[in-house]
């Protein structure tokens, strides 16, 4: 339905915005560890809440140093 399509689009946009905010945090944490790069970045999305009204974004990766 159109109502569902709008909701899906809003979730997609919210996920992108959360991703844009989360990646700099990941870079900062890796730099604090002395890493040169992050490999294997994984971005997961999950709706939470009684009616799926919230979007949880989890970003992880492996901080590495290059020799």
């Amino acid at each position: 339905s159109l109502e569902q399509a709008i909701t899906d689009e809003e979730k997609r946009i919210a996920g992108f915005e959360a991703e844009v905010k989360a990646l700099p945090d990941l870079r900062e944490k890796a730099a604090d560890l002395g890493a040169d790069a992050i490999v294997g970045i994984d971005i997961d999305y999950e709706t939470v809440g009684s009616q799926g009204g919230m979007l949880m974004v989890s970003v992880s990766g492996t901080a590495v140093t290059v020799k």
Side-chain angles (χ1 to χ4, degrees):
S1 74
L2 179 58
E3 183 176 295
Q4 184 63 37
I6 292 170
T7 300
D8 290 344
E9 181 67 9
E10 289 171 345
K11 287 179 183 177
R12 187 188 67 75
I13 291 168
F16 175 76
E17 290 173 349
E19 190 176 313
V20 167
K21 292 177 183 177
L23 287 173
D25 290 342
L26 187 65
R27 280 192 218 103
E28 183 179 333
K29 289 179 181 182
D32 290 346
L33 294 170
D36 299 311
I38 305 166
V39 298
I41 294 176
D42 183 38
I43 303 170
D44 292 311
Y45 303 91
E46 186 171 336
T47 55
V48 294
S50 61
Q51 297 179 357
M54 294 183 283
L55 183 67
M56 180 174 63
V57 178
S58 173
V59 179
S60 62
T62 302
V64 298
T65 55
V66 179
K67 292 184 179 184

